[in-house]
Amino acid sequence: MNPTYFLSHSFDPTRKLYVKQKVHLGNRWRERGEYYDWRGHGESYERIFSLFNQDFFYHQKDEEEDREVFAEVLNKNLDGMTLAELHAYIDKLNDKFKEVAKTAKEFREKKCPKVPKDVETQVRRIRLWRDTYGQRFA
């Protein structure tokens, strides 16, 4: 197993918990996807930590984290990049855009295009795409 799995899937008591597997807590069954306020129900840290590590709970991905990651990708400085680096950047940009596009058609029509040979033209296209669609997701 990848060692970063434990870092990215570790219990953080400051974040909200959601039920991953049906579990009996607080005199009733908690259903999958349900938010569980463990402090409000008087559960101990040790018990919740143990259940989290047994895959009964998960932390939902934070929308603010998504916005920060996408903003970081959008605001990358393009000056001095080679064509290969620009194409790798576009792949990363399009991967993030694909996550927020509502349909496959919207993604196909609005994804950032690649120019096969010219660095200056590619930089202009990326900047135009960022000005047109980027602020919607940042």
Side-chain angles (χ1 to χ4, degrees):
M1 185 175 285
N2 186 346
T4 60
Y5 173 85
F6 294 107
L7 295 175
S8 63
H9 292 84
S10 60
F11 178 60
D12 180 358
T14 63
R15 295 181 67 194
K16 292 182 177 183
L17 276 183
Y18 294 87
V19 177
K20 190 174 191 177
Q21 298 179 46
K22 192 173 180 179
V23 63
H24 192 268
L25 289 167
N27 296 326
R28 76 176 186 91
W29 285 99
R30 306 292 170 167
E31 297 297 325
R32 183 179 177 159
E34 180 181 342
Y35 166 68
Y36 184 66
D37 180 18
W38 61 279
R39 286 188 187 98
H41 288 94
E43 295 288 346
S44 71
Y45 173 87
E46 292 79 14
R47 176 147 192 239
I48 297 301
F49 179 78
S50 174
L51 289 170
F52 185 89
N53 288 329
Q54 294 172 37
D55 261 359
F56 282 98
F57 291 110
Y58 66 96
H59 294 298
Q60 193 166 20
K61 201 171 187 182
D62 192 5
E63 287 179 22
E64 180 122 346
E65 284 178 17
D66 286 346
R67 272 186 248 120
E68 287 174 8
V69 168
F70 201 77
E72 182 181 318
V73 171
L74 276 178
N75 296 326
K76 185 168 179 92
N77 187 1
L78 304 174
D79 298 329
M81 292 177 75
T82 66
L83 193 59
E85 291 172 329
L86 289 170
H87 285 179
Y89 172 71
I90 289 172
D91 291 339
K92 190 183 227 184
L93 193 64
N94 282 336
D95 287 344
K96 292 292 176 193
F97 181 64
K98 193 175 205 170
E99 291 175 11
V100 294
K102 291 182 175 51
T103 63
K105 182 180 178 186
E106 179 188 24
F107 173 72
R108 280 192 313 274
E109 291 173 354
K110 297 180 180 178
K111 70 180 182 178
C112 188
K114 286 185 182 178
V115 176
K117 296 181 182 172
D118 187 25
V119 172
E120 289 80 23
T121 304
Q122 185 65 74
V123 169
R124 280 197 307 275
R125 293 259 177 111
I126 292 170
R127 288 186 175 140
L128 177 65
W129 186 91
R130 289 194 307 197
D131 290 343
T132 306
Y133 301 111
Q135 71 277 7
R136 178 174 147 196
F137 308 104

